[in-house]
């Protein structure tokens, strides 16, 4: 017999016992619910009987009190409001009797119906008595003696009988509930015990059955795993374990055949791995020259770059003034050589101030501060770099240089999204309104001036003197607040030597950014605004 069939029969038996147990549970639960409902109904009836009895006793006491004062002839008729209240109280008691009748089982309804009839007659007699009280003394006494008192005696007896009957019903329902609880509990425990016993027996059987065969399979697999591919597993059974042993033996034969082939393949693979490692080293070196170090590492690790959001970045754009005209008088070789000269100098400045070169587009140069490593000092460092870029351009503005270009520089600070797109010719790039606004700062500037947005101005105003330009219309038709950066603030050159970073500037930089400034442009010594 297969393992699957053995397990199916065992589980079917356990499930059958479980179903029986569940059926007994629901049957007992239903019985308990019904008996509980009977107990609750009996208790409710008992409460109603007691309530009706208390109401009637109160009315009897009230009638007795009224009889004791009837001798006072000056009492007068009962006020209408008092009479209506008395009728309302009788009606309330009558409603309780009707409610009691609705809760009473068939075998006890006759007693409640008699109580209802008696109370109806007694209520009418009490009302007549009340109406004649203080009006017709003889009529009131006659009604009370002839009708009310006999009815009162009868209803008291009926209430006593009802109380006794309801007490018996409550006791009987409670005993029935306890008996059902005991029977269902015993049956449930018996079936549960039998199910547990069968489950334990099945578990022990299959434990021994599986253990013997698994030991043989485990030992055989261990021997084969030690690369003894001549070993075969011997298991004299025709079930799933026997099929597994046959599969192991077939696998061992294939492994022995494959091992020889694998040895040859490993030799060829080792040779190819050395070649791949050499090519990988060359590609990594090339990639690190193209992309930022962190981005290159991410491509090496994941094969792609996840886009990143940088909430605070300064984008710097430059553009040469007069470049288009110079292309007409310069040869292609001279044009490229001059661009190489300028942009090589730009690259060194950008590296010095820890900015990230993004790209060049024709004669435009784009870089950013604050990415891919976040750096709170990037607006100030972008302006420092911009002054050094101006200095570099001015140094090349001499008669010997045929490419005498001026430069417009624009800076804006804000959020960007950065990443690498495409699968060929990787390029690290940024997107967002900050990039567009930075370009507008450059195109709206003047030659050899640094034009910044208000966002950048708010970040550098404690270091540099800025000339407000007001609202300047861009080529997109937007009016934006712009500022020219003219030089260092008064006092930040105090204690400065001919070279090096001025102590006052260094101190403020340390206080704002908790680190040392990386460099200081010489041009700022000349452009500091006098205090």
């Amino acid at each position: 017999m297969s393992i699957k069939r053995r397990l199916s029969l065992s589980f079917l038996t356990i499930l059958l016992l479980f179903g029986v147990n569940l059926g007994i549970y629901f049957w007992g639960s239903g019985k308990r619910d019904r008996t509980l409902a009977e107990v609750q109904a009996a208790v409710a009836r008992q409460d109603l009987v007691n309530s009706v009895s208390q109401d009637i006793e109160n009315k009897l006491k009230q009638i007795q009190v009224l009889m004791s004062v009837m001798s006072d002839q000056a009492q007068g008729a009962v006020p209408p409001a008092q009479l209506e209240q008395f009728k309302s109280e009788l009606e309330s008691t009558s409603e309780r009797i009707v409610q009691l009748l609705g809760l009473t089982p068939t075998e006890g309804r006759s007693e409640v119906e008699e109580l209802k009839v008696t109370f109806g007659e007694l209520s009418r007699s009490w009302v007549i008595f009340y109406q004649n009280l203080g009006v017709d003394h003889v009529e009131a006494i006659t009604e009370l003696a002839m009708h009310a008192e006999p009815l009162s005696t009868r209803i008291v007896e009926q209430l006593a009988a009802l109380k006794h009957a309801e007490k018996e019903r409550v006791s009987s329902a409670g005993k029935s509930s306890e008996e059902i609880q005991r029977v269902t509990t015993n049956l449930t425990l018996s079936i549960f015990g039998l199910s547990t016993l069968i489950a334990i027996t099945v578990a022990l059987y299959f434990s021994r059955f599986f253990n013997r065969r698994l030991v043989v399979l485990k030992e055989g697999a261990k021997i084969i795993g030690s690369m003894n591919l001549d070993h075969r597993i011997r298991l004299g059974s025709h079930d799933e374990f026997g099929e597994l042993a046959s599969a192991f033996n077939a696998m061992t034969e294939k492994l022995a055949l494959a091992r020889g082939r694998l040895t040859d393949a490993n030799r060829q693979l080792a040779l190819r791995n050395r070649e791949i490692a050499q090519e990988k080293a060359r590609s990594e070196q090339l990639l690190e020259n193209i992309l930022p170090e962190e981005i290159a590492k991410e491509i090496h690790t994941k094969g792609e770059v996840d886009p990143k959001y940088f909430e605070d970045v300064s984008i710097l754009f430059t553009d040469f003034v007069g470049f288009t005209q110079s292309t007409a008088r310069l040869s292609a070789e001279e044009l490229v050589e001059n661009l190489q000269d300028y942009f090589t100098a730009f690259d060194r400045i950008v590296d010095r101030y820890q900015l990230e070169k993004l790209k060049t587009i024709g004669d435009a140069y784009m870089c950013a501060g604050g990415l891919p490593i976040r750096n709170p000092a990037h607006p100030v460092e972008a302006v420092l770099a911009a002054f050094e870029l101006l200095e570099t351009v001015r140094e090349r503005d001499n008669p010997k240089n045929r490419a005498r270009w001026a430069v417009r520089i624009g800076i804006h600070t804000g959020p960007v999204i950065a990443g690498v797109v495409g699968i060929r010719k990787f390029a690290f790039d940024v997107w967002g309104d900050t990039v567009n606004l930075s370009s507008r700062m450059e195109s709206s500037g003047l030659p050899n001036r640094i034009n910044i947005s208000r966002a950048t101005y708010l970040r550098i105003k404690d270091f540099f003197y800025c000339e407000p330009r007001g609202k300047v219309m861009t080529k997109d038709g937007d009016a934006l607040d712009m500022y020219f950066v003219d030089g260092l603030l008064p006092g930040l050159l105090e204690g400065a030597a001919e070279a090096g970073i001025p102590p006052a500037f260094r101190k403020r930089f340390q206080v704002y950014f908790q680190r040392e400034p990386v460099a200081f442009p010489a041009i700022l010594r000349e452009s500091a605004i006098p205090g």
Side-chain angles (χ1 to χ4, degrees), residues 186-296:
N186 290 340
L187 283 173
T188 301
L189 290 176
S190 299
I191 298 298
F192 177 76
L194 181 59
S195 301
T196 303
L197 182 61
I198 293 175
I200 292 173
T201 303
V202 170
L204 290 174
Y205 167 76
F206 279 109
S207 176
R208 291 187 60 193
F209 179 82
F210 289 147
N211 187 61
R212 287 197 301 268
R213 287 157 177 78
L214 286 174
V215 167
V216 176
L217 287 171
K218 181 179 178 182
E219 291 298 326
K222 185 177 180 181
I223 294 171
I224 295 172
S226 65
M227 299 310 294
N228 182 0
L229 301 182
D230 295 328
H231 179 75
R232 296 295 180 268
I233 299 174
R234 310 298 179 187
L235 192 63
S237 61
H238 301 286
D239 52 20
E240 289 84 349
F241 283 112
E243 295 174 0
L244 185 58
S246 300
F248 263 106
N249 293 333
M251 178 191 68
T252 304
E253 294 176 0
K254 293 179 180 179
L255 285 174
L257 180 62
R259 182 168 59 178
R261 298 174 180 173
L262 182 61
T263 302
D264 295 335
N266 283 338
R267 295 192 189 98
Q268 297 179 7
L269 182 61
L271 179 61
R272 292 179 182 176
N273 282 340
R274 286 195 295 270
E275 295 173 353
I276 291 172
Q278 293 171 356
E279 292 298 326
K280 182 180 179 182
R282 284 194 291 269
S283 67
E284 289 177 354
Q285 184 178 6
L286 178 61
L287 196 60
E288 288 173 0
N289 287 335
I290 298 173
L291 300 174
E293 182 179 356
E294 291 76 11
I295 303 302

Side-chain angles (χ1 to χ4, degrees), residues 144-189:
L144 192 64
M146 297 296 295
H147 296 97
E149 288 186 0
L151 289 172
S152 298
T153 302
R154 189 195 312 169
I155 202 167
V156 168
E157 293 173 352
Q158 290 174 346
L159 285 170
L162 274 176
K163 286 182 180 179
H164 179 73
E166 293 302 330
K167 183 177 180 182
E168 289 296 325
R169 289 191 185 100
V170 169
S171 176
S172 175
K175 291 178 181 179
S176 176
S177 176
E178 292 175 358
E179 179 64 20
I180 289 173
Q181 178 71 25
R182 183 184 63 80
V183 171
T184 55
T185 301
N186 290 340
L187 283 173
T188 301
L189 290 176

